[in-house]
Coordinates of all heavy atoms in Angstrom, one line a residue:
M1 N -26.2 -4.2 18.1 CA -25.4 -3.1 18.6 C -24.0 -3.1 18.1 O -23.4 -4.2 17.9 CB -25.3 -3.2 20.2 CG -26.1 -2.1 20.9 SD -26.0 -2.3 22.7 CE -24.5 -1.3 23.0
R2 N -23.4 -1.9 17.9 CA -22.1 -1.9 17.3 C -21.1 -1.5 18.4 O -21.4 -0.7 19.3 CB -22.0 -0.9 16.2 CG -22.6 -1.4 14.9 CD -22.7 -0.2 13.9 NE -21.4 0.4 13.8 CZ -21.2 1.6 13.4 NH1 -22.2 2.4 13.1 NH2 -20.0 2.2 13.3
H3 N -20.0 -2.0 18.3 CA -18.9 -1.6 19.3 C -18.2 -0.4 18.7 O -17.6 -0.4 17.5 CB -17.9 -2.7 19.4 CG -18.4 -3.9 20.1 ND1 -18.5 -3.9 21.5 CD2 -19.0 -5.0 19.7 CE1 -19.1 -5.1 21.8 NE2 -19.4 -5.8 20.7
A4 N -18.3 0.7 19.3 CA -17.8 2.0 18.8 C -16.3 2.0 18.8 O -15.7 2.5 17.9 CB -18.3 3.2 19.6
A5 N -15.7 1.4 19.8 CA -14.2 1.6 19.9 C -13.6 0.2 20.1 O -13.5 -0.4 21.1 CB -13.9 2.4 21.1
M6 N -13.4 -0.5 18.9 CA -12.8 -1.8 18.9 C -11.3 -1.6 19.2 O -10.6 -0.6 18.7 CB -12.9 -2.4 17.5 CG -14.3 -2.8 17.2 SD -14.8 -4.4 17.8 CE -13.8 -5.4 16.7
P7 N -10.7 -2.4 20.1 CA -9.3 -2.3 20.3 C -8.5 -2.7 19.0 O -9.0 -3.6 18.2 CB -9.0 -3.3 21.4 CG -10.2 -4.3 21.3 CD -11.4 -3.5 20.9
R8 N -7.5 -2.0 18.7 CA -6.7 -2.2 17.5 C -5.8 -3.4 17.7 O -5.1 -3.5 18.7 CB -5.9 -0.9 17.1 CG -6.8 0.2 16.9 CD -6.0 1.4 16.4 NE -5.6 1.1 15.0 CZ -4.9 2.1 14.3 NH1 -4.6 3.2 14.8 NH2 -4.6 1.8 13.1
R9 N -5.9 -4.3 16.8 CA -5.0 -5.4 16.9 C -3.8 -5.3 15.9 O -4.1 -5.0 14.8 CB -5.8 -6.7 16.6 CG -6.8 -7.1 17.6 CD -7.6 -8.3 17.2 NE -6.8 -9.4 16.7 CZ -7.3 -10.4 16.1 NH1 -8.6 -10.6 15.9 NH2 -6.5 -11.4 15.7
P10 N -2.6 -5.4 16.4 CA -1.5 -5.2 15.6 C -1.4 -6.0 14.3 O -1.0 -5.6 13.3 CB -0.3 -5.5 16.5 CG -0.8 -5.5 17.9 CD -2.3 -5.8 17.8
D11 N -2.0 -7.2 14.4 CA -1.9 -8.1 13.2 C -2.9 -7.8 12.1 O -2.9 -8.4 11.1 CB -1.9 -9.6 13.6 CG -3.3 -9.9 14.3 OD1 -4.0 -9.0 14.8 OD2 -3.7 -11.1 14.4
T12 N -3.8 -6.9 12.4 CA -4.8 -6.5 11.4 C -4.5 -5.1 10.8 O -5.3 -4.7 10.0 CB -6.2 -6.5 12.0 OG1 -6.3 -5.6 13.1 CG2 -6.6 -7.9 12.4
E13 N -3.5 -4.4 11.4 CA -3.2 -3.1 10.9 C -2.5 -3.2 9.5 O -1.7 -4.1 9.2 CB -2.3 -2.3 11.8 CG -3.1 -1.9 13.1 CD -2.2 -1.1 14.0 OE1 -1.1 -0.7 13.6 OE2 -2.7 -0.7 15.0
P14 N -2.9 -2.3 8.6 CA -2.2 -2.3 7.3 C -0.7 -2.1 7.4 O -0.2 -1.4 8.3 CB -2.9 -1.3 6.5 CG -3.5 -0.3 7.6 CD -3.8 -1.2 8.7
A15 N 0.0 -2.6 6.4 CA 1.4 -2.4 6.3 C 1.7 -0.9 6.1 O 0.9 -0.2 5.4 CB 2.1 -3.2 5.3
T16 N 2.8 -0.4 6.7 CA 3.2 1.0 6.4 C 4.3 1.0 5.4 O 4.9 -0.1 5.2 CB 3.6 1.7 7.7 OG1 4.7 1.0 8.2 CG2 2.4 1.7 8.7
L17 N 4.7 2.2 5.0 CA 5.9 2.3 4.1 C 7.1 1.8 4.8 O 8.0 1.2 4.1 CB 6.0 3.8 3.7 CG 4.9 4.2 2.6 CD1 5.2 5.7 2.4 CD2 5.0 3.4 1.4
A18 N 7.2 2.1 6.1 CA 8.3 1.5 6.8 C 8.5 0.0 6.8 O 9.6 -0.5 6.6 CB 8.4 2.1 8.3
D19 N 7.3 -0.6 6.9 CA 7.3 -2.1 6.8 C 7.8 -2.6 5.5 O 8.6 -3.5 5.4 CB 5.9 -2.6 7.0 CG 5.4 -2.3 8.5 OD1 6.2 -2.3 9.4 OD2 4.2 -2.2 8.6
L20 N 7.3 -1.9 4.4 CA 7.7 -2.3 3.1 C 9.2 -2.1 2.8 O 9.9 -2.9 2.3 CB 6.9 -1.5 2.1 CG 5.7 -2.2 1.6 CD1 4.7 -2.5 2.7 CD2 5.0 -1.4 0.5
A21 N 9.7 -0.9 3.4 CA 11.2 -0.6 3.2 C 12.0 -1.7 3.8 O 13.1 -2.1 3.3 CB 11.4 0.8 3.7
R22 N 11.6 -2.1 5.0 CA 12.3 -3.1 5.8 C 12.4 -4.4 5.0 O 13.3 -5.1 5.0 CB 11.6 -3.3 7.1 CG 12.5 -4.0 8.2 CD 12.0 -3.8 9.6 NE 10.6 -4.2 9.6 CZ 9.6 -3.3 10.1 NH1 10.0 -2.2 10.5 NH2 8.4 -3.7 10.1
E23 N 11.3 -4.7 4.3 CA 11.2 -6.0 3.5 C 11.7 -5.9 2.1 O 11.7 -6.8 1.3 CB 9.8 -6.5 3.5 CG 9.2 -6.8 4.8 CD 9.7 -8.0 5.5 OE1 10.1 -9.0 4.7 OE2 9.8 -8.2 6.7
N24 N 12.1 -4.6 1.7 CA 12.6 -4.3 0.4 C 11.4 -4.6 -0.7 O 11.7 -5.1 -1.7 CB 13.8 -5.2 0.1 CG 14.8 -4.4 -0.6 OD1 14.7 -3.2 -0.8 ND2 16.0 -5.0 -0.8
I25 N 10.2 -4.1 -0.4 CA 9.1 -4.3 -1.2 C 8.6 -3.0 -1.7 O 8.6 -2.0 -0.9 CB 7.9 -5.0 -0.5 CG1 8.4 -6.4 -0.1 CG2 6.7 -5.1 -1.3 CD1 7.4 -7.1 0.8
N26 N 8.3 -2.8 -3.0 CA 7.8 -1.6 -3.5 C 6.2 -1.6 -3.4 O 5.6 -2.6 -3.0 CB 8.2 -1.4 -4.9 CG 9.7 -1.0 -5.0 OD1 10.2 -0.3 -4.2 ND2 10.4 -1.6 -6.0
V27 N 5.7 -0.4 -3.9 CA 4.2 -0.3 -3.9 C 3.6 -0.5 -5.3 O 4.1 0.1 -6.2 CB 3.8 1.1 -3.3 CG1 2.3 1.3 -3.4 CG2 4.2 1.2 -1.8
W28 N 2.5 -1.2 -5.3 CA 1.9 -1.5 -6.6 C 0.6 -0.6 -6.6 O -0.2 -0.7 -5.7 CB 1.6 -3.0 -6.7 CG 1.1 -3.5 -8.0 CD1 1.8 -4.0 -9.1 CD2 -0.3 -3.6 -8.4 NE1 0.9 -4.3 -10.1 CE2 -0.4 -4.1 -9.7 CE3 -1.5 -3.3 -7.8 CZ2 -1.5 -4.4 -10.4 CZ3 -2.7 -3.5 -8.4 CH2 -2.7 -4.1 -9.8
A29 N 0.4 0.1 -7.7 CA -0.8 1.0 -7.8 C -1.6 0.7 -9.0 O -1.0 0.4 -10.1 CB -0.3 2.5 -7.7
W30 N -2.9 0.9 -8.9 CA -3.8 0.5 -10.0 C -4.8 1.7 -10.2 O -5.3 2.2 -9.2 CB -4.5 -0.8 -9.6 CG -5.7 -1.1 -10.5 CD1 -7.0 -0.6 -10.4 CD2 -5.7 -2.0 -11.6 NE1 -7.7 -1.2 -11.4 CE2 -7.0 -2.0 -12.2 CE3 -4.7 -2.7 -12.2 CZ2 -7.3 -2.8 -13.3 CZ3 -5.0 -3.5 -13.3 CH2 -6.3 -3.5 -13.8
C31 N -5.0 2.1 -11.4 CA -6.0 3.2 -11.7 C -7.3 2.5 -12.0 O -7.4 1.7 -13.0 CB -5.5 4.0 -12.8 SG -6.7 5.3 -13.4
E32 N -8.4 2.9 -11.3 CA -9.7 2.4 -11.5 C -10.3 2.9 -12.8 O -11.2 2.3 -13.5 CB -10.6 2.8 -10.4 CG -10.6 2.0 -9.2 CD -11.2 0.6 -9.4 OE1 -12.2 0.6 -10.2 OE2 -10.7 -0.4 -8.9
S33 N -9.8 4.1 -13.3 CA -10.4 4.8 -14.4 C -10.0 4.1 -15.8 O -10.8 3.9 -16.6 CB -10.2 6.2 -14.4 OG -10.8 6.8 -13.3
C34 N -8.7 3.9 -15.9 CA -8.1 3.4 -17.1 C -7.3 2.2 -17.0 O -6.8 1.8 -18.1 CB -7.3 4.6 -17.7 SG -5.7 4.8 -17.0
C35 N -7.3 1.6 -15.9 CA -6.6 0.3 -15.7 C -5.1 0.5 -15.8 O -4.4 -0.6 -15.9 CB -7.1 -0.8 -16.6 SG -8.8 -1.2 -16.2
H36 N -4.6 1.7 -15.9 CA -3.1 1.8 -15.9 C -2.6 1.4 -14.5 O -3.2 1.6 -13.5 CB -2.8 3.3 -16.0 CG -1.3 3.6 -16.1 ND1 -0.6 3.4 -17.2 CD2 -0.5 4.2 -15.2 CE1 0.7 3.8 -17.0 NE2 0.7 4.3 -15.7
H37 N -1.5 0.7 -14.5 CA -0.9 0.3 -13.2 C 0.6 0.2 -13.3 O 1.2 0.2 -14.4 CB -1.4 -1.1 -12.8 CG -1.2 -2.2 -13.8 ND1 -2.0 -2.4 -14.9 CD2 -0.2 -3.0 -14.0 CE1 -1.5 -3.4 -15.6 NE2 -0.4 -3.8 -15.1
G38 N 1.2 0.2 -12.1 CA 2.7 0.2 -12.1 C 3.2 0.1 -10.7 O 2.4 0.2 -9.8
V39 N 4.5 0.0 -10.6 CA 5.1 -0.2 -9.3 C 5.8 1.2 -9.0 O 6.5 1.7 -9.9 CB 6.1 -1.3 -9.3 CG1 6.9 -1.3 -8.0 CG2 5.4 -2.6 -9.5
I40 N 5.6 1.6 -7.8 CA 6.3 2.9 -7.3 C 7.3 2.5 -6.2 O 7.0 1.7 -5.3 CB 5.3 3.8 -6.7 CG1 4.1 4.0 -7.7 CG2 5.9 5.1 -6.3 CD1 2.9 4.7 -7.1
E41 N 8.4 3.1 -6.3 CA 9.5 2.8 -5.4 C 9.1 3.3 -4.0 O 8.7 4.4 -3.8 CB 10.8 3.5 -5.7 CG 11.6 2.6 -6.8 CD 12.9 3.2 -6.9 OE1 13.6 3.5 -6.0 OE2 13.3 3.5 -8.1
T42 N 9.2 2.4 -3.0 CA 8.8 2.7 -1.6 C 9.6 3.9 -1.1 O 9.1 4.8 -0.5 CB 9.1 1.5 -0.7 OG1 8.2 0.4 -1.1 CG2 8.8 1.8 0.7
A43 N 10.9 4.0 -1.5 CA 11.8 5.1 -1.0 C 11.2 6.4 -1.5 O 11.3 7.4 -0.7 CB 13.2 4.9 -1.5
L44 N 10.7 6.5 -2.7 CA 10.1 7.8 -3.2 C 9.0 8.2 -2.4 O 8.7 9.3 -2.1 CB 9.8 7.6 -4.7 CG 10.9 7.4 -5.7 CD1 10.3 7.2 -7.1 CD2 11.8 8.7 -5.7
L45 N 8.1 7.2 -2.0 CA 6.9 7.5 -1.3 C 7.2 7.9 0.1 O 6.6 8.8 0.7 CB 6.0 6.3 -1.3 CG 5.4 6.0 -2.7 CD1 4.7 4.6 -2.7 CD2 4.3 7.0 -3.1
I46 N 8.2 7.3 0.7 CA 8.6 7.7 2.0 C 9.1 9.2 2.0 O 8.8 9.9 2.9 CB 9.7 6.8 2.6 CG1 9.1 5.4 2.9 CG2 10.4 7.4 3.8 CD1 10.1 4.4 3.4
A47 N 9.9 9.5 1.0 CA 10.3 10.9 0.9 C 9.2 11.9 0.8 O 9.3 13.0 1.3 CB 11.3 11.0 -0.3
R48 N 8.1 11.5 0.2 CA 7.0 12.4 0.0 C 6.0 12.3 1.1 O 5.5 13.4 1.6 CB 6.2 12.0 -1.3 CG 6.7 12.7 -2.6 CD 5.9 12.3 -3.7 NE 4.5 12.6 -3.6 CZ 3.5 12.2 -4.4 NH1 3.8 11.4 -5.4 NH2 2.3 12.5 -4.2
L49 N 5.7 11.2 1.7 CA 4.6 11.0 2.5 C 5.0 10.6 4.0 O 4.2 10.6 4.9 CB 3.6 10.0 2.0 CG 3.1 10.4 0.6 CD1 2.3 9.2 0.0 CD2 2.2 11.6 0.6
G50 N 6.2 10.2 4.1 CA 6.7 9.7 5.4 C 6.6 8.2 5.6 O 5.7 7.6 5.1
P51 N 7.5 7.7 6.5 CA 7.5 6.2 6.7 C 6.3 5.6 7.4 O 6.0 4.4 7.3 CB 8.8 5.9 7.5 CG 9.1 7.3 8.1 CD 8.5 8.3 7.2
A52 N 5.5 6.4 8.1 CA 4.4 5.9 8.9 C 3.1 5.8 8.1 O 2.1 5.4 8.6 CB 4.2 6.7 10.2
S53 N 3.1 6.2 6.8 CA 1.9 6.1 6.0 C 1.4 4.7 5.8 O 2.2 3.9 5.2 CB 2.2 6.8 4.7 OG 2.7 8.1 4.9
P54 N 0.2 4.4 6.1 CA -0.3 3.1 5.8 C -0.4 2.9 4.2 O -0.9 3.8 3.5 CB -1.7 3.0 6.4 CG -1.7 4.2 7.4 CD -0.7 5.2 6.8
V55 N -0.1 1.8 3.7 CA -0.1 1.6 2.3 C -1.5 1.9 1.6 O -1.5 2.5 0.5 CB 0.4 0.1 1.9 CG1 0.3 -0.1 0.4 CG2 1.9 0.0 2.3
P56 N -2.6 1.4 2.2 CA -3.9 1.6 1.5 C -4.2 3.2 1.4 O -5.0 3.6 0.6 CB -4.9 0.9 2.4 CG -4.1 -0.1 3.1 CD -2.8 0.5 3.4
D57 N -3.6 3.9 2.3 CA -3.8 5.4 2.3 C -3.1 6.1 1.2 O -3.4 7.2 0.8 CB -3.4 6.0 3.6 CG -4.5 5.8 4.7 OD1 -5.4 5.1 4.4 OD2 -4.4 6.5 5.8
L58 N -2.0 5.5 0.7 CA -1.2 6.2 -0.3 C -2.0 6.5 -1.6 O -1.8 7.6 -2.2 CB -0.1 5.2 -0.8 CG 0.8 4.7 0.3 CD1 1.7 3.7 -0.3 CD2 1.6 5.8 0.9
A59 N -3.0 5.7 -1.9 CA -3.8 5.9 -3.1 C -4.4 7.3 -3.1 O -4.5 7.9 -4.2 CB -4.8 4.9 -3.2
R60 N -4.7 7.8 -2.0 CA -5.4 9.2 -1.9 C -4.4 10.3 -2.3 O -4.8 11.4 -2.7 CB -5.9 9.5 -0.5 CG -7.1 8.7 -0.2 CD -7.7 9.1 1.1 NE -6.8 8.6 2.2 CZ -6.7 9.3 3.4 NH1 -7.3 10.4 3.5 NH2 -5.9 8.8 4.3
H61 N -3.1 10.0 -2.2 CA -2.1 11.0 -2.6 C -1.6 10.8 -4.0 O -0.8 11.6 -4.4 CB -0.9 10.9 -1.6 CG -1.3 11.1 -0.2 ND1 -1.5 12.3 0.4 CD2 -1.7 10.2 0.8 CE1 -2.0 12.2 1.6 NE2 -2.0 10.9 1.9
L62 N -2.0 9.7 -4.6 CA -1.4 9.5 -5.9 C -2.4 10.0 -7.0 O -3.5 10.1 -6.8 CB -1.2 8.0 -6.1 CG -0.2 7.3 -5.1 CD1 -0.2 5.8 -5.3 CD2 1.1 7.9 -5.2
R63 N -1.8 10.1 -8.2 CA -2.6 10.5 -9.4 C -2.1 9.6 -10.6 O -0.9 9.4 -10.7 CB -2.5 11.9 -9.7 CG -3.8 12.5 -10.2 CD -3.8 13.9 -10.2 NE -3.0 14.5 -11.2 CZ -3.1 15.7 -11.7 NH1 -3.9 16.6 -11.1 NH2 -2.4 16.2 -12.7
C64 N -3.0 9.2 -11.3 CA -2.6 8.3 -12.5 C -1.8 9.1 -13.5 O -2.2 10.2 -13.9 CB -3.9 7.8 -13.1 SG -3.6 6.8 -14.6
S65 N -0.7 8.6 -13.8 CA 0.2 9.3 -14.8 C -0.3 9.2 -16.2 O 0.1 9.9 -17.1 CB 1.6 8.8 -14.7 OG 1.6 7.4 -15.1
A66 N -1.3 8.3 -16.5 CA -1.8 8.1 -17.8 C -3.0 9.0 -18.0 O -3.1 9.7 -19.1 CB -2.1 6.7 -18.0
C67 N -4.0 9.0 -17.1 CA -5.3 9.7 -17.4 C -5.5 10.8 -16.4 O -6.5 11.6 -16.5 CB -6.4 8.7 -17.4 SG -6.9 8.2 -15.8
G68 N -4.7 10.9 -15.3 CA -4.9 12.0 -14.4 C -5.9 11.7 -13.3 O -6.2 12.6 -12.4
S69 N -6.5 10.6 -13.3 CA -7.5 10.2 -12.3 C -6.9 10.1 -11.0 O -5.7 9.7 -10.8 CB -8.2 8.9 -12.7 OG -9.0 8.4 -11.6
K70 N -7.7 10.3 -9.9 CA -7.2 10.1 -8.5 C -7.8 8.9 -7.9 O -7.8 8.7 -6.7 CB -7.5 11.4 -7.7 CG -6.7 12.6 -8.2 CD -6.9 13.8 -7.4 CE -6.0 13.8 -6.2 NZ -6.1 15.1 -5.5
D71 N -8.6 8.1 -8.7 CA -9.3 7.0 -8.2 C -8.3 5.7 -8.3 O -8.5 4.9 -9.2 CB -10.5 6.8 -9.1 CG -11.5 5.7 -8.4 OD1 -11.2 5.4 -7.3 OD2 -12.4 5.3 -9.1
L72 N -7.4 5.8 -7.4 CA -6.3 4.7 -7.5 C -6.4 3.7 -6.3 O -7.0 4.1 -5.2 CB -4.9 5.3 -7.5 CG -4.6 6.3 -8.6 CD1 -3.1 6.6 -8.6 CD2 -5.1 6.0 -9.9
H73 N -5.9 2.6 -6.4 CA -5.7 1.6 -5.3 C -4.2 1.4 -5.2 O -3.5 1.4 -6.1 CB -6.4 0.3 -5.6 CG -7.9 0.4 -5.6 ND1 -8.6 0.7 -4.5 CD2 -8.7 0.2 -6.6 CE1 -9.9 0.7 -4.8 NE2 -10.0 0.4 -6.1
A74 N -3.8 1.1 -4.0 CA -2.4 0.8 -3.7 C -2.3 -0.4 -2.8 O -3.1 -0.5 -1.9 CB -1.7 2.0 -3.1
R75 N -1.3 -1.2 -3.1 CA -1.0 -2.3 -2.2 C 0.4 -2.7 -2.3 O 1.1 -2.3 -3.2 CB -1.9 -3.5 -2.5 CG -1.6 -4.1 -3.9 CD -2.2 -5.5 -4.0 NE -2.1 -6.1 -5.3 CZ -1.0 -6.7 -5.8 NH1 0.1 -6.6 -5.0 NH2 -0.9 -7.2 -6.9
P76 N 0.9 -3.4 -1.3 CA 2.3 -3.8 -1.4 C 2.5 -4.7 -2.6 O 1.7 -5.6 -2.9 CB 2.5 -4.6 -0.1 CG 1.5 -4.2 0.9 CD 0.3 -3.9 0.0
D77 N 3.6 -4.6 -3.2 CA 4.0 -5.4 -4.4 C 4.7 -6.7 -3.9 O 5.9 -6.8 -4.1 CB 4.8 -4.6 -5.4 CG 5.1 -5.4 -6.6 OD1 4.3 -6.1 -7.0 OD2 6.2 -5.2 -7.2
W78 N 3.9 -7.5 -3.2 CA 4.5 -8.7 -2.8 C 5.2 -9.5 -3.9 O 4.6 -9.6 -5.0 CB 3.4 -9.6 -2.1 CG 2.7 -9.0 -1.0 CD1 1.3 -8.8 -1.1 CD2 3.1 -8.5 0.2 NE1 1.0 -8.2 0.1 CE2 2.0 -8.0 0.9 CE3 4.4 -8.4 0.8 CZ2 2.1 -7.4 2.2 CZ3 4.5 -7.9 2.1 CH2 3.4 -7.4 2.7
P79 N 6.4 -10.0 -3.7 CA 7.1 -10.7 -4.7 C 6.3 -11.9 -5.3 O 6.2 -12.1 -6.5 CB 8.4 -11.2 -4.1 CG 8.5 -10.4 -2.8 CD 7.2 -9.9 -2.4
S80 N 5.8 -12.6 -4.3 CA 5.0 -13.8 -4.7 C 4.3 -14.3 -3.5 O 4.9 -14.3 -2.4 CB 5.9 -14.9 -5.3 OG 5.3 -16.1 -5.3
L81 N 3.1 -14.9 -3.7 CA 2.5 -15.6 -2.5 C 3.0 -17.0 -2.3 O 2.7 -17.7 -1.4 CB 1.0 -15.6 -2.7 CG 0.3 -14.2 -2.8 CD1 -1.2 -14.4 -3.1 CD2 0.5 -13.5 -1.4
G82 N 3.9 -17.4 -3.2 CA 4.3 -18.8 -3.1 C 5.7 -19.0 -2.5 O 6.3 -20.0 -2.7
V83 N 6.2 -17.9 -1.9 CA 7.5 -18.0 -1.3 C 7.4 -18.9 -0.1 O 6.6 -18.8 0.8 CB 8.0 -16.6 -0.8 CG1 9.3 -16.8 0.0 CG2 8.1 -15.6 -2.0
V84 N 8.2 -20.0 -0.2 CA 8.2 -21.0 0.9 C 9.0 -20.6 2.1 O 8.6 -20.6 3.2 CB 8.6 -22.4 0.4 CG1 8.5 -23.4 1.5 CG2 7.7 -22.8 -0.8
A85 N 10.3 -20.3 1.9 CA 11.2 -20.0 3.0 C 12.3 -19.1 2.4 O 12.9 -19.4 1.4 CB 11.7 -21.3 3.6
R86 N 12.5 -18.1 3.1 CA 13.6 -17.1 2.7 C 14.7 -17.1 3.7 O 15.7 -16.4 3.6 CB 13.1 -15.7 2.5 CG 12.1 -15.7 1.3 CD 11.9 -14.3 0.9 NE 11.5 -13.4 2.1 CZ 11.3 -12.1 2.0 NH1 11.6 -11.5 0.9 NH2 10.9 -11.4 3.0
H87 N 14.5 -17.8 4.9 CA 15.5 -17.7 5.9 C 16.7 -18.7 5.7 O 16.6 -19.7 5.2 CB 14.9 -18.0 7.3 CG 13.8 -17.1 7.7 ND1 14.1 -15.8 8.0 CD2 12.5 -17.2 7.7 CE1 13.0 -15.2 8.3 NE2 12.0 -16.0 8.1
Ligands
ZN101 ZN1 -5.7 6.2 -15.2

């Protein structure tokens, strides 16, 4: 049996553009068709799509500047997974 309405847990929700802006992180996008990839400024995406947009959803609004494909992936452009302490 499946649970139709799972409660949403805050710690499992995808980051939004507002989260990235707060952390000063841009968005990294990848084209499935031609492997073109690049970083898009979070501020530009907020201006277009609004600060509440979840990062994985951005890909649906993007188009590859190299081949025109809309088959893109987007994720936060984390500076590094090896950051030990920034405080
Ligand atoms: Zn492409």
Side-chain angles (χ1 to χ4, degrees):
M1 248 181 91
R2 288 172 48 205
H3 295 276
M6 293 271 289
R8 299 186 72 174
R9 292 174 48 188
D11 59 342
T12 59
E13 289 186 4
T16 64
L17 288 176
D19 293 331
L20 266 59
R22 197 164 49 235
E23 300 285 332
N24 228 353
I25 295 170
N26 289 323
V27 173
W28 188 90
W30 170 274
C31 173
E32 277 286 326
S33 296
C34 74
C35 295
H36 182 77
H37 59 274
V39 172
I40 307 168
E41 276 188 52
T42 298
L44 290 177
L45 291 167
I46 287 177
R48 272 182 57 188
L49 304 170
S53 305
V55 174
D57 278 11
L58 300 175
R60 285 187 289 148
H61 301 277
L62 300 175
R63 215 165 76 162
C64 177
S65 60
C67 75
S69 169
K70 296 180 85 171
D71 193 10
L72 305 193
H73 291 295
R75 66 164 174 76
D77 184 34
W78 304 117
S80 162
L81 294 176
V83 174
V84 177
R86 294 194 307 173
H87 296 289

